[in-house]
Amino acid sequence: MKFLNALSLYLRYAGVSVRGQMQYRASFFMMAFGNLLLTGIDFLAIWALIDRFGSIRGWRLQEVALLYGMVNVAFALSEAFARGFDVFPNMVRSGDFDRILLRPRSAALQVVGQELQVFRIGRFSQGLAVLLWGAWSLHVVWTVPKVLLCTASILGGACLFSGLFVLQATLAFWTTSTLEIINTVTYGGVETAQYPLSVYRPWFRQFFTYVVPLACINYLPAHAILERPDPLGSPVWLHYGAPAFGFLFLLVTLQIWEFGVRHYRSTGS
Amino acid sequence: MTADTQSIVEVEGLSKSYWIARREPGMAGAIRGLFRREYREVKALEDVSFCVKPGELIGYIGPNGAGKSTTVKILSGILVPDTGRCQVLGRVPWEERIETVQRIGVVFGQRTQLWWDLPVQETFELLIEIYRLCRTRTREVLKELQDLLDLGPLLDVPVRQLSLGQRMRCDLAAALIHEPRLLFLDEPTIGLDAVSKLAVRDFVKRLNRDRGVAVILTTHDLDDIEALCDRVLVLGEGKLLIDGSLADLRSRVTRLRSLTVDLVDEEAHFECPGATIHSREGHRVHLRFDPEQISTPELIGRIVASHSIRDLFVENPPIEEIVARLYGDYRLDGSGDARGA
C-alpha cells in the first residue's frame, strides 16, 4: 500500500516533468538525437578496435556488444529516472530543499520525482540496438532464465548508477562546491564496463567489483548467458546472483542519503 | 495543567547554534580550507520558550538574523534544535516530520512553495496527491479559498507568470488546502503593493476569526502586526525579549509617537510646545511627542492654530526602531551577558 502510494505520487511528478519537456518539442528531438549520436560513437570505437585486433582477451565483437548494450541501457535508465538527484546540490544551496521537507512525503521520492529526462531515450535506444544485435548474432539459446537474468542485470545496473547519483547528491550536505569525484566513477564506470573486466589491472577490477559492484551488472552475468567460465575464477552461482548487488548498492546509498538528511537538519544550511 | 494541554504549540528552552566555516580570502585560502577549517559558533536561538493556544494570532518579530526563521524551521520539522523541548499539535516536529507537516501550513514570502512551470490548478491537483486528501472534501475547501482569495482568473496561469501579489494569494491557498489548524506565515507581505498587502491581511484575519486557525506571523511590517495580532513575541539575537500585547511592547520601549507635518511655506519658522522636532526636510517636519503629556488632538490643535499647514499624520515608530531600541535598552540594563563586543 505504502509502495503504491509512493508510486502513484512518483507517476504524477514524472508526468509533470515530461509534460514540461514536451512543451519544447524541437529541442526534445534534437537532444534525444544528439544523445543517441554522442553515445553511439563509443560503440564505433569498440568496433574499430576489435576489427583491427580480432578480439579483446578472447571476447569477440558480438560478445562485447552484449556487455556494451547491458551497461548502456542500464545507465540510460538511471539517467532518465534518477537525474533528479543531479540537480539536488543546487536545491540545498538555494534552500529549496526546505520546501521538500515541508511536504508530508519522503524527501528522496520528491527529489527523484522532480525530473524524468525523456531525451535519454537516445542512449537507451542505441544501447538496446547494440544489445539486440549482439544477442541475435551470438547464436546463444535465449532460455527464459537467461532473458530474466539479462533483464535483472539491466535493472540492477540502473539501480547501481542511480546509487551513484544518490551518493553525489549526498555530498551536497557537507560541501557546497561540486565534487566531481563521483562523476568520475559514474562516467568512468560506464566506459569501463563497455569492455570485459578481465582486460584491466587487478586493483582496478577489485574497485569495480567490491567497492562499486559494476562487475555484477554485466561482466559476471554475461558469463552465465554465454555459458562459459570466468577466467578470473568467479563461481557460476554468482553469475546468476550478481545483479542483486546492484539493488543492494542503491539501498545502501539511500541509507547514506538518509544520514545526510539528518546531518542537514541538525546543522542547518 | 489543563491550560498546558490545550496549547497547540509548546516550546521550552529551545536553543540552536550554527557552525559557520571561516573562509580565508584568495585562492590559497580556498585550497587550505579544503583540508582544515576553522569554525565559528553562531547562536541562532537561546533558551526560547512560549506557548500558542488554538485560534491565537501571534506576531513574531525581530531584526534580521534574530532567529525567527530558525524558529519556524524547527517548529515545522525542517531543523533539529540542539537542546530544548517542543510540541506542535501534540507531536515533536523533528521526530515526526511527516505527521507534523501533514497538519500545519507554512508560507515563506520570499520563496514560493508552488511549482514554477505548472498552472495554479495543476499545483493544487499535485498537492491533493501529496497530502493524500479526499477529493470531494478538498474541492469544497478549494472553492471557498478561491472565492476568498479571488483566484478564479489565475487558475490556468503558470506560476512563473503570476505577479508577486497573485503568487502570494496562490501560496496561501496552497498552504491551506489540507485545512491545517496552525499556519506559519514568514513575511507574507514582503514586497507586495498596498492593495495586495490589504488583501493578504484581510484574508489572514478572516481565516483566524472565522475558522479559528492559529497563525504565527513573522514580519518586519508593523502595520501587519497592528492590523492582525493580539500578541507579539519579540526576538533579539536569539533570545525572546518580550511576550505580550502590542501595547505592552510599545510602553516597554517608548511612549513617544511621531507626528509629521507638511507646511505650506517651506521657509516658515516652526515651533511647537509639547513636542520636539526630530528632523526637518523643507516643507516636512518630523515631531516626537509623548501622548501622556499631550494628547494627539490637543497637539494637532495647537499646530493648526499657530501654523498654516497642508497635511499632517501621526505614526508609530517603525518596528525596526522599536526593536533596535528595545535591544539597546536590554544591553544597557546589564541583564544581558557580556559576550557582545
Side-chain angles (χ1 to χ4, degrees), chain A residues 5 8-9 12-13 16 19 23-24 94-96 98-107 110 174-177 262 264-269, chain B residues 16 18 23 73 76-80 82 93-94 97-98 101-102 106 108 111-115 118 122 125-127 129-132 135 160:
Chain A
N5 271 331
S8 146
L9 181 64
R12 257 213 188 249
Y13 268 55
V16 168
R19 253 174 299 149
Q23 283 180 357
Y24 310 98
S94 65
D96 283 342
D98 290 350
R99 186 186 63 203
I100 282 188
L101 290 176
L102 281 176
R103 298 190 180 129
R105 300 307 283 266
S106 135
Q110 295 182 66
W174 281 274
T175 169
T176 47
S177 41
R262 276 201 295 279
Y264 172 85
R265 293 173 62 203
S266 58
T267 55
S269 44
Chain B
K16 174 137 192 93
Y18 296 117
R23 295 226 171 127
K73 283 182 184 176
S76 52
I78 296 177
L79 291 183
V80 184
D82 299 338
W94 57 88
R97 174 183 76 81
I98 289 183
V101 296
Q102 181 81 39
V106 185
F108 289 113
R111 193 177 298 135
T112 181
Q113 307 270 72
L114 311 171
W115 283 261
L118 283 192
E122 277 191 58
E125 295 290 324
L126 206 49
L127 286 168
E129 179 79 40
I130 288 176
Y131 285 96
R132 285 173 276 209
R135 264 170 207 284
R160 65 180 129 79

Side-chain angles (χ1 to χ4, degrees), chain A residues 54-71:
Chain A
S55 69
I56 310 173
R57 285 272 163 110
W59 288 70
R60 291 175 302 133
L61 183 61
Q62 294 89 330
E63 291 157 354
V64 176
L66 191 65
L67 295 178
Y68 176 96
M70 284 161 87
V71 73

Side-chain angles (χ1 to χ4, degrees), chain B residues 74-243:
Chain B
I74 290 175
L75 292 184
S76 52
I78 296 177
L79 291 183
V80 184
D82 299 338
T83 55
R85 259 177 11 88
C86 162
Q87 286 216 319
V88 174
L89 298 169
R91 287 164 202 275
V92 179
W94 57 88
E95 282 170 6
E96 297 172 281
R97 174 183 76 81
I98 289 183
E99 290 77 6
T100 306
V101 296
Q102 181 81 39
R103 287 167 182 79
I104 62 171
V106 185
V107 176
F108 289 113
Q110 310 261 36
R111 193 177 298 135
T112 181
Q113 307 270 72
L114 311 171
W115 283 261
W116 208 236
D117 292 318
L118 283 192
V120 176
Q121 179 68 51
E122 277 191 58
T123 297
F124 293 150
E125 295 290 324
L126 206 49
L127 286 168
I128 289 175
E129 179 79 40
I130 288 176
Y131 285 96
R132 285 173 276 209
L133 301 172
C134 157
R135 264 170 207 284
T136 37
R137 170 74 192 141
T138 309
R139 213 155 277 147
E140 285 170 33
V141 174
L142 268 177
K143 178 80 185 61
E144 213 174 326
L145 286 169
Q146 279 165 21
D147 292 344
L148 280 172
L149 288 161
D150 192 21
L151 300 182
L154 307 178
L155 290 178
D156 300 328
V157 183
V159 170
R160 65 180 129 79
Q161 289 174 14
L162 297 177
S163 76
L164 198 56
Q166 292 170 334
R167 207 210 72 202
M168 181 48 62
R169 275 154 42 208
C170 295
D171 256 314
L172 279 168
L176 292 165
I177 193 169
H178 56 299
E179 301 182 85
R181 286 168 59 209
L182 175 63
L183 179 66
F184 292 101
L185 294 174
D186 192 7
E187 305 199 32
T189 57
I190 195 163
L192 297 189
D193 62 61
V195 178
S196 304
K197 260 187 196 178
L198 287 179
V200 168
R201 265 180 219 149
D202 188 48
F203 175 75
V204 172
K205 187 153 203 132
R206 292 177 75 157
L207 187 75
N208 176 257
R209 194 188 53 206
D210 302 344
R211 305 256 195 95
V213 175
V215 181
I216 296 182
L217 169 70
T218 304
T219 186
H220 282 294
D221 192 332
L222 184 64
D223 296 336
D224 284 348
I225 300 282
E226 216 147 11
L228 295 172
C229 304
D230 331 309
R231 184 176 154 207
V232 191
L233 302 178
V234 184
L235 205 63
E237 297 203 352
K239 290 178 186 150
L240 193 59
L241 304 181
I242 284 186
D243 178 351

Side-chain angles (χ1 to χ4, degrees), chain A residues 33-57:
Chain A
F33 189 62
N35 189 242
L36 188 149
L37 279 188
L38 268 176
T39 58
I41 287 171
D42 278 353
F43 190 69
L44 282 182
I46 294 172
W47 171 77
L49 190 74
I50 296 184
D51 190 53
R52 174 77 180 74
F53 296 105
S55 69
I56 310 173
R57 285 272 163 110

